[in-house]
Amino acid sequence: MSLEQFKTRVLPVKDKLYRFALRFLKDEDDARDVVQEVLIKVWNKREGMDQLENMEAWCMRITRNVSLDRLKSKHSKYTDPMKEGFDISSGESETPYRTAEMSDMMKNIGSFIEALPEKQRQVIQLRDVEGYSYKEISDILEIDMNQVKVNLFRARKAVKESLLNINAYGLG
């Protein structure tokens, strides 16, 4: 793989790698360090890259593994991963009340996702936030595609029920 191929195939996914690492580590500096480490690993293994079917999924798998290794080696402090990356405006001029309501809802959704079991949290992040296909998620997490679908269904159901409970009881 040449430098130009690296720039066109690997560098465009670095923001996704960062967001994925951030979901694991909950620390922006650690997530940046993981992405840098992943990019170095990919560059150092560039000789065999031409045989890879899905470069992005391979990079995500490396990111997952490095993030998990980092988590095992130390405890991380919490930062809110939901504070960025969501455009909650509909394009129309929003009232301050509506903007605050949407902001609260996004914080609640972030909390609900954080409370999910790890596998469900990973799957919903990859599918609904990052936009990966079932096949790509299966490759990244190294699980059966049916397990991807089951975990996604359960995660979405749990988040939906939590939202409905907040709305029903006026909590939040």
Side-chain angles (χ1 to χ4, degrees):
M1 172 182 293
S2 69
L3 178 60
E4 284 304 313
Q5 289 173 314
F6 183 82
K7 286 180 183 178
T8 58
R9 291 183 70 194
V10 178
L11 288 184
V13 300
K14 87 177 172 182
D15 289 340
K16 283 186 179 183
L17 300 178
Y18 169 76
R19 288 190 302 269
F20 191 52
L22 185 62
R23 293 299 278 174
F24 280 102
L25 302 170
K26 299 176 179 69
D27 182 88
E28 294 175 359
D29 292 330
D30 284 346
R32 279 191 281 274
D33 290 346
V34 164
V35 171
Q36 184 174 4
E37 188 175 332
V38 168
L39 292 176
I40 290 169
K41 283 182 182 222
V42 171
W43 178 252
N44 288 339
K45 296 192 185 277
R46 68 187 176 273
E47 300 307 319
M49 297 297 153
D50 294 329
Q51 290 84 26
L52 285 177
E53 239 181 81
N54 190 336
M55 174 72 70
E56 188 173 326
W58 187 72
C59 290
M60 292 294 280
R61 184 179 305 143
I62 294 172
T63 302
R64 183 188 119 228
N65 293 340
V66 171
S67 297
L68 290 174
D69 290 345
R70 189 164 292 226
L71 276 177
K72 290 175 189 171
S73 69
K74 73 173 198 158
H75 295 284
S76 299
K77 69 175 185 151
Y78 179 78
T79 57
D80 185 6
M82 298 296 285
K83 71 182 176 187
E84 291 187 31
F86 287 99
D87 180 12
I88 60 173
S89 68
S90 64
E92 303 167 10
S93 60
E94 296 285 334
T95 65
Y97 174 78
R98 180 75 178 135
T99 302
E101 187 178 70
M102 289 299 292
S103 177
D104 288 346
M105 186 186 325
M106 292 310 297
K107 286 178 188 171
N108 286 332
I109 291 171
S111 297
F112 301 148
I113 290 173
E114 284 300 315
L116 292 170
E118 181 180 348
K119 194 64 69 181
Q120 290 178 17
R121 190 172 57 243
Q122 291 172 354
V123 170
I124 201 168
Q125 167 74 21
L126 289 170
R127 180 68 179 174
D128 292 344
V129 177
E130 301 297 336
Y132 284 99
S133 70
Y134 294 126
K135 172 76 171 106
E136 290 170 323
I137 296 168
S138 174
D139 291 344
I140 291 166
L141 297 180
E142 298 175 325
I143 61 175
D144 182 69
M145 195 176 322
N146 288 327
Q147 283 301 112
V148 170
K149 292 175 183 179
V150 167
N151 279 289
L152 183 61
F153 173 80
R154 290 178 179 164
R156 287 175 175 168
K157 182 179 176 188
V159 170
K160 180 181 177 181
E161 287 174 356
S162 297
L163 274 175
L164 290 173
N165 286 338
I166 281 184
N167 290 335
Y169 298 111
L171 303 174

